[in-house]
Amino acid sequence: MPIGIQRLNAHQSHPNDRIIFIKPLPGPTASFAEDFLSRIAAICKPIMAAAHLSVMTLEEYEPNPEFVGRNFNAGEIIQLVLKAPQTGHWLSF
């Protein structure tokens, strides 16, 4: 966990202690998107630990044809597109 950040009253354990918040888009697929983001966070854990990286928020971003992810303020917020823009189907890992 980044220095100076402490998670209080966590309802569930996070798959990656170097990511503070995991936020899906609100809507009917929010639970699936949160699970998808949690799996991505778990895959990234050893890489982040080896490189001493931390991220404040990992978010889902709405489908668009221009990018699949973006980074704000050196990892403060990382937004990932999880659905294809044309079909709305979930992208594969």
Side-chain angles (χ1 to χ4, degrees):
M1 188 155 320
I3 296 174
I5 302 294
Q6 183 178 7
R7 188 179 294 125
L8 300 174
N9 299 327
H11 298 288
Q12 62 186 9
S13 64
H14 280 348
N16 187 339
D17 59 349
R18 296 185 167 272
I19 298 175
I20 307 302
F21 302 109
I22 296 176
K23 293 171 46 178
L25 289 174
T29 60
S31 62
F32 187 81
E34 185 172 6
D35 181 57
F36 202 106
L37 290 169
S38 295
R39 291 178 188 199
I40 292 169
I43 290 170
C44 295
K45 184 176 182 176
I47 299 164
M48 293 177 74
H52 305 289
L53 299 173
S54 61
V55 172
M56 183 67 73
T57 307
L58 180 63
E59 296 181 350
E60 177 187 8
Y61 191 76
E62 58 195 32
N64 67 69
E66 294 160 12
F67 60 87
V68 294
R70 58 186 182 174
N71 177 4
F72 291 104
N73 205 14
E76 185 175 334
I77 298 173
I78 293 181
Q79 296 178 329
L80 299 175
V81 175
L82 302 180
K83 294 181 180 180
Q86 296 84 6
T87 62
H89 292 116
W90 295 96
L91 296 173
S92 62
F93 258 70

